[in-house]
Amino acid sequence: PTYLLAQVFPAAMRIKDEYYRTMALIGMAPYLPEYLLDDALYFARNVGSGADCVEALKGLAPYLTASEQQWVLAEALSVAGKTIEKRASTEVLCDLVPSLPASLLPSALDLTRKLGNEYSRARILCAMANHLPESQLAEALSAANCIEDPHERVEVLKRLAPLMPEPLVEKALAAVRTIKNEIDRAKA
């Protein structure tokens, strides 16, 4: 019942551990009445660590209006971008990608291209592959070509290749030909 949530919600937001507070917020999200959603967003934004903030915002997004979802997911992407060089944050962004509307995927791809860590870049590009519109596959292929580690580049190319439209297939094959290690080249 709603009246119980009004009592339980403040208690849950006093949980000291950020992870458990985030999990409580996400767990209550489907049941929160509209008048508590603003408070929930406040707590999601101030949960503490970047990863927990992203998880909390992503967890609340489905229960908001369409315009609020767009704004909250853009905020989650921004927070993820500020902490992305950490491996745990890479996984958070990989988990966030399926929740992003198509309008935010170019920003996510741009953020990914700027990463210095090739492992992170490759993992996120792999997570994005099935969600990118055809118009962005060329940019994703370009980002994959900038990955110097052949194993990581192969993983991204394997995810992108089946999605490539005909004009990009030759570019993808050219990218495969640049891989020096025969085993990695064969895997691609």
Side-chain angles (χ1 to χ4, degrees):
T2 303
Y3 73 92
L4 285 178
L5 277 171
Q7 295 171 4
V8 172
F9 179 75
M13 294 308 98
R14 287 193 298 271
I15 296 172
K16 298 236 184 280
D17 184 277
E18 293 174 0
Y19 173 79
Y20 291 114
R21 188 170 58 242
T22 300
M23 292 302 104
L25 182 60
I26 292 170
M28 287 191 294
Y31 310 104
L32 290 176
E34 195 173 317
Y35 73 91
L36 283 177
L37 285 175
D38 284 340
D39 290 341
L41 281 171
Y42 171 81
F43 284 108
R45 289 183 182 111
N46 296 291
V47 76
S49 77
D52 289 328
C53 179
V54 171
E55 285 297 317
L57 291 169
K58 182 181 85 169
L60 286 173
Y63 309 102
L64 303 171
T65 65
S67 62
E68 289 173 321
Q69 283 179 12
Q70 175 88 8
W71 185 75
V72 166
L73 290 170
E75 187 175 350
L77 181 60
S78 174
V79 171
K82 292 175 185 166
T83 60
I84 198 63
E85 289 295 340
K86 298 176 184 155
R87 189 167 282 194
S89 294
T90 298
E91 297 310 315
V92 168
L93 185 53
C94 287
D95 291 343
L96 178 62
V97 166
S99 301
L100 294 176
S103 62
L104 290 176
L105 288 172
S107 297
L109 185 55
D110 186 50
L111 171 68
T112 303
R113 289 183 67 111
K114 293 176 183 174
L115 293 175
N117 182 311
E118 288 193 338
Y119 171 83
S120 295
R121 208 173 334 139
R123 295 288 64 80
I124 296 166
L125 284 169
C126 285
M128 291 179 123
N130 289 329
H131 303 282
L132 290 171
E134 190 174 298
S135 62
Q136 296 212 287
L137 289 173
E139 189 174 344
L141 178 60
S142 174
N145 286 335
C146 293
I147 296 173
E148 291 182 24
D149 181 287
H151 177 72
E152 299 300 337
R153 189 173 346 140
V154 164
E155 291 304 312
V156 177
L157 291 172
K158 284 189 331 190
R159 292 285 178 100
L160 292 174
L163 308 169
M164 293 286 166
E166 190 64 37
L168 285 179
V169 172
E170 187 55 42
K171 287 183 180 183
L173 287 172
V176 170
R177 289 184 199 111
T178 66
I179 299 171
K180 291 182 172 80
N181 182 297
E182 290 178 10
I183 295 171
D184 285 332
R185 193 170 51 243
K187 288 179 182 176

